Amino acid sequence: MHVVLSGVVGSTAYGLARPGSDVDRLGLFAVPTEELHGLQRPVESVVSSAPEPDRTMHEAAKWCRLALSANPTVSELVWLPDELYEVRTPLGEELIALRGALLSERAVRGSYLGYAGQQFRKLLTRGPDERPRAAKHARHLVRLLEQGVRLHETGELVVRLTEPEQVRESGERIAARPELAEPLLAEAERRLDRPGVLPSAPDESRVEAWLRRVRRAYWTA
């Protein structure tokens, strides 16, 4: 596994971590290019957890496909604050530089509203003894809506929340009364329906060119 880019994500990156919070890591790796020519497909994702650090690694092509669909978790890897990167190779720097090419209006709208809607449905079906987890779902809902709207309107994915404690407090209220999320979802949908700054389609040619540079870099004869 050749790690191209990796860093700390999740609650630490959002500014929501508390003492004892898990530290989540996300990364992108490249398989030796020669392995792509055999009968068996090489591994596309590697996930490790306790007792190892929580870490998710995606192969370069899979990461690009997920990022082009505006997957919120995957996308934040190229928008992290500098101090949260743990591996940052020259190819990783190139990927960060072309992060705007991954974006498109339709994908951002569908993905962020879709993931927020999933969190809302989890709130509606939680059991009475699941309050801590419900609060986590509610925080994710608030965060996703805030990040999605800002990305749509400014073209920038802000991973570190500007008001993390406000998001935490909103999460507690929504966990207790899930119906409070409905106006937030409606307002986000309204703003995402308005014209934004994102292109109608991502610049796949730039992403493809980067991926081909990765394949050349890791070719072994």
Side-chain angles (χ1 to χ4, degrees):
M1 181 187 295
H2 303 287
V3 178
V4 174
L5 189 67
S6 70
V8 176
V9 294
S11 59
T12 301
Y14 309 143
L16 293 170
R18 292 285 179 88
S21 294
D22 293 336
V23 178
D24 300 311
R25 290 174 167 85
L26 176 67
L28 178 157
F29 69 94
V31 297
T33 305
E34 189 177 23
E35 293 185 12
L36 298 170
H37 298 280
L39 288 174
Q40 303 300 321
R41 291 178 62 87
V43 64
E44 288 195 310
S45 296
V46 178
V47 180
S48 62
S49 55
E52 301 295 327
D54 290 336
R55 184 187 303 272
T56 299
M57 304 290 292
H58 295 300
E59 210 283 321
K62 180 176 181 179
W63 187 93
C64 288
R65 291 194 297 269
L66 291 171
L68 287 166
S69 70
N71 178 288
T73 302
V74 165
S75 297
E76 66 189 42
L77 179 61
V78 289
W79 296 88
L80 293 175
D82 287 345
E83 68 273 14
L84 293 182
Y85 285 106
E86 296 180 322
V87 176
R88 193 167 172 171
T89 66
L91 284 166
E93 293 282 3
E94 288 184 30
L95 185 60
I96 293 171
L98 62 80
R99 60 194 180 187
L102 297 158
L103 300 173
S104 64
E105 182 178 284
R106 179 180 296 180
V108 166
R109 184 190 186 282
S111 186
Y112 280 82
L113 282 179
Y115 277 85
Q118 287 181 10
Q119 302 302 317
F120 183 54
R121 289 189 290 276
K122 290 177 181 179
L123 287 171
L124 296 177
T125 58
R126 78 183 193 279
D129 58 343
E130 296 180 308
R131 177 64 184 271
R133 183 158 292 278
K136 183 176 182 179
H137 293 321
R139 288 195 298 273
H140 283 316
L141 184 153
V142 175
R143 171 185 61 80
L144 286 163
L145 295 179
E146 179 179 317
Q147 290 178 326
V149 168
R150 184 163 181 175
L151 182 55
H152 173 76
E153 294 178 345
T154 70
E156 181 181 9
L157 174 56
V158 179
V159 176
R160 174 90 22 96
L161 298 171
T162 54
E163 298 288 346
E165 286 307 312
Q166 184 175 326
V167 171
R168 185 175 291 278
E169 292 168 5
S170 295
E172 293 294 335
R173 291 195 300 272
I174 292 170
R177 297 178 57 200
E179 67 272 15
L180 294 177
E182 292 176 353
L184 297 180
L185 287 160
E187 173 64 10
E189 186 169 2
R190 183 184 68 81
R191 292 174 68 176
L192 287 164
D193 280 340
R194 296 189 308 198
V197 301
L198 299 179
S200 59
D203 191 344
E204 290 191 8
S205 62
R206 292 180 62 197
V207 180
E208 174 80 13
W210 176 83
L211 186 57
R212 288 179 180 272
R213 288 195 294 276
V214 171
R215 299 309 185 211
R216 287 195 296 272
Y218 293 108
W219 168 255
T220 54

